[in-house]
Amino acid sequence: MLLTGFDAPVEQVMYLDKVVVAHNLLQTIARVNRVGGEAKDKGFIVDYVGIGHHLKQALDNYDERERKEIENTLSFPEQELRELQAAHAGIMALLKQHGLTDLTDHDAFFDVFYDEDIRFAFMLAFKQLTRALNTVFPAREALAYMADYQALTEINVLAGKHFRDARLSMKGIPPKLRAIADAHLQSAGIDIKVKPISILDEDFEKDVAKHTRTKTKAAEVEHAIRHHLDVELDDDPDLQASFAEALAAIFEEFKNNWDKIYEELEKLRQRIKEVGKEPTYGLNRKKQMPFFRLFRGELEMAMEQSPDYGGKPDERIAVLVDLTQQVYNAVERELKLAGFWESIPARNKLKAELQQIFVASRFDKVPDLVRKRQAIISRVMELAEAKNDTILYAE
């Protein structure tokens, strides 16, 4: 049965307790080399009778090219163990090079892993160790490495949460190691299913305060902000860009002064939180407010060049709201047309309508704003394309 017509890709281990020779031997041991999913990277032969010399004789029946192809697919326990030893020595040497000798000092790892190149080197070394350990485990020789592997798994998961880095995850760890790693993480009180706390959460500050180093705290706030900008504000490019610029300015102004960086990052986080509390003046927060912010920002810059513009703040807000509603209604109506973005005439028609709306607004008293109307209309089109799905489908 194992020699003729047997094809079970899931089969990974074969136990040989009888002598098989020549072509039958190669055909037999090949039963475990079928591709069987990501968790299976090779098959195992447990030899109870000693077929080593028979294997050599079987290979002699092939020409040199075929023999090399077959030999390249074979490996032996001594080789696998040497690869595990090398992978373990490699990752420990990498950590020691950066002063990381205490696998329980997670904040020390976070501070070093702030350097993305070092973090990436750790990722590669950890994956290599995982592959090597998976090959040898559950042989008793693998047990000597399990304590370090569990500690490194804990570091990998916690660093992934700290830096909001999805590459540092449990994805890709083979099932037999994953079960052991999950059990260890559970015993350590680490739930990999719980997402990192949002910067908008009331408990975020308390969570950050658990760290003992200022750089560690600052790094967590920084990466939490970056994650928020990428994920939560991806449909509001103007707001996203303004906060990204503020973030970059902090690091530019206070290079390596982590106390000041942490302080300024906390201020920026509070500003971001306030966005959710800003008045909407009856506009839809997701659909219309990004356009409102665009027009308000342009008006504020233009008024620096036209300070004598006499409109009162409430009057300017009313004009902005009216402009936003007119522009949004025109954009929404045109976007509902099938194939709008592929149609140059349709886009030109919308641009012409936006120009009419803009010229008819009360901002004709702000010369700088009037001169920039074509650029502003282009930005409206860019924003409309970025928010296409939100405008059409969001509630």
Side-chain angles (χ1 to χ4, degrees):
M1 175 182 176
L2 297 181
L3 302 182
T4 306
F6 181 80
D7 184 18
V10 72
E11 203 68 44
Q12 189 172 24
V13 183
M14 176 178 288
Y15 300 88
L16 280 177
D17 63 354
K18 62 182 291 185
V19 175
V20 187
V21 298
H23 178 72
N24 285 342
L25 174 57
L26 292 179
Q27 195 171 44
T28 298
I29 67 175
R31 298 307 93 188
V32 294
N33 74 343
R34 303 298 193 263
V35 176
E38 293 183 1
K40 179 183 175 183
D41 53 9
K42 64 173 56 185
F44 299 90
I45 304 295
V46 181
D47 178 16
Y48 285 107
V49 293
I51 51 94
H53 65 288
H54 292 303
L55 180 59
K56 184 179 184 305
Q57 292 173 359
L59 291 173
D60 288 341
N61 294 327
Y62 292 83
D63 63 33
E64 184 178 357
R65 181 182 62 81
E66 291 175 322
R67 186 164 60 249
K68 285 184 178 180
E69 288 181 356
I70 296 173
E71 289 174 346
N72 287 338
T73 68
L74 301 175
S75 60
F76 298 88
E78 296 79 5
Q79 176 185 337
E80 311 289 8
L81 184 56
R82 285 195 297 270
E83 290 176 358
L84 173 57
Q85 292 168 340
H88 178 263
I91 193 169
M92 300 308 286
L94 171 68
L95 300 180
K96 186 177 181 180
Q97 177 185 347
H98 298 287
L100 300 173
T101 56
D102 182 357
L103 299 185
T104 65
D105 188 354
H106 297 146
D107 280 5
F109 279 84
F110 298 156
D111 284 357
V112 172
F113 286 0
Y114 185 81
D115 185 321
E116 192 167 0
D117 289 338
I118 300 175
R119 193 159 81 238
F120 186 69
F122 171 80
M123 292 179 203
L124 296 180
F126 181 72
K127 288 180 179 178
Q128 186 173 353
L129 176 61
T130 298
R131 286 193 296 269
L133 185 60
N134 184 59
T135 300
V136 176
F137 190 81
R140 66 179 182 277
E141 290 85 355
L143 300 180
Y145 300 91
M146 291 309 300
D148 282 351
Y149 184 73
Q150 289 173 330
L152 292 169
T153 300
E154 193 171 330
I155 291 165
N156 184 68
V157 170
L158 292 176
K161 288 188 175 185
H162 184 78
F163 293 105
R164 300 315 204 260
D165 192 336
R167 297 172 299 174
L168 290 161
S169 71
M170 301 293 285
K171 185 178 180 181
I173 294 182
K176 61 185 179 183
L177 292 183
R178 178 64 184 266
I180 296 172
D182 285 350
H184 171 74
L185 294 172
Q186 185 176 4
S187 68
I190 301 172
D191 190 342
I192 63 175
K193 295 180 181 179
V194 176
K195 294 182 179 180
I197 298 177
S198 165
I199 62 170
L200 306 180
D201 196 296
E202 293 300 324
D203 291 330
F204 179 83
E205 194 169 351
K206 293 180 182 178
D207 191 64
V208 172
K210 294 177 183 177
H211 299 297
T212 57
R213 296 176 171 88
T214 303
K215 180 180 178 180
T216 314
K217 296 176 181 178
E220 180 153 7
V221 177
E222 175 200 349
H223 287 86
I225 288 175
R226 293 188 187 281
H227 178 79
H228 183 83
L229 299 186
D230 290 342
V231 176
E232 302 299 331
L233 297 184
D234 66 324
D235 60 352
D236 195 336
D238 285 284
L239 194 60
Q240 185 183 56
S242 68
F243 285 133
E245 289 173 5
L247 184 62
I250 291 173
F251 285 91
E252 178 67 26
E253 183 175 356
F254 304 106
K255 294 177 180 177
N256 297 322
N257 184 347
W258 290 104
D259 289 326
K260 192 63 178 177
I261 289 173
Y262 177 45
E263 179 184 334
E264 294 301 317
L265 286 174
E266 266 301 305
K267 292 179 182 177
L268 178 60
R269 185 175 73 87
Q270 294 301 328
R271 283 174 51 197
I272 295 173
K273 286 181 66 176
E274 291 302 315
V275 169
K277 302 176 182 178
E278 68 176 336
T280 60
Y281 312 107
L283 299 173
N284 183 289
R285 188 177 298 278
K286 289 184 178 181
K287 296 185 175 188
Q288 297 175 315
M289 282 301 291
F291 293 96
F292 176 85
R293 295 190 195 101
L294 165 61
F295 299 141
R296 183 176 59 189
E298 291 291 345
L299 176 61
E300 289 171 354
M301 287 191 293
M303 286 182 62
E304 293 178 4
Q305 305 299 322
S306 305
D308 56 341
Y309 175 57
K312 296 180 180 180
D314 289 346
E315 294 175 347
R316 290 198 293 270
I317 291 294
V319 173
L320 283 171
V321 169
D322 181 61
L323 176 62
T324 299
Q325 290 173 333
Q326 291 188 58
V327 167
Y328 178 82
N329 290 339
V331 167
E332 182 185 40
R333 182 178 61 253
E334 296 301 319
L335 260 55
K336 288 180 179 179
L337 299 176
F340 171 80
W341 294 109
E342 288 72 37
S343 171
I344 294 177
R347 295 203 302 271
N348 289 338
K349 177 176 177 291
L350 176 56
K351 289 179 182 179
E353 186 173 354
L354 292 177
Q355 174 137 321
Q356 290 178 352
I357 293 172
F358 194 82
V359 171
S361 72
R362 288 171 49 194
F363 292 136
D364 58 336
K365 298 179 182 178
V366 189
D368 193 58
L369 197 61
V370 173
R371 284 193 297 270
K372 290 178 62 178
R373 65 181 181 274
Q374 293 299 338
I376 296 173
I377 289 172
S378 293
R379 291 188 63 195
V380 168
M381 296 294 290
E382 292 172 2
L383 184 56
E385 186 168 11
K387 293 183 63 63
N388 181 85
D389 290 350
T390 302
I391 290 172
L392 295 179
Y393 309 118
E395 296 181 0

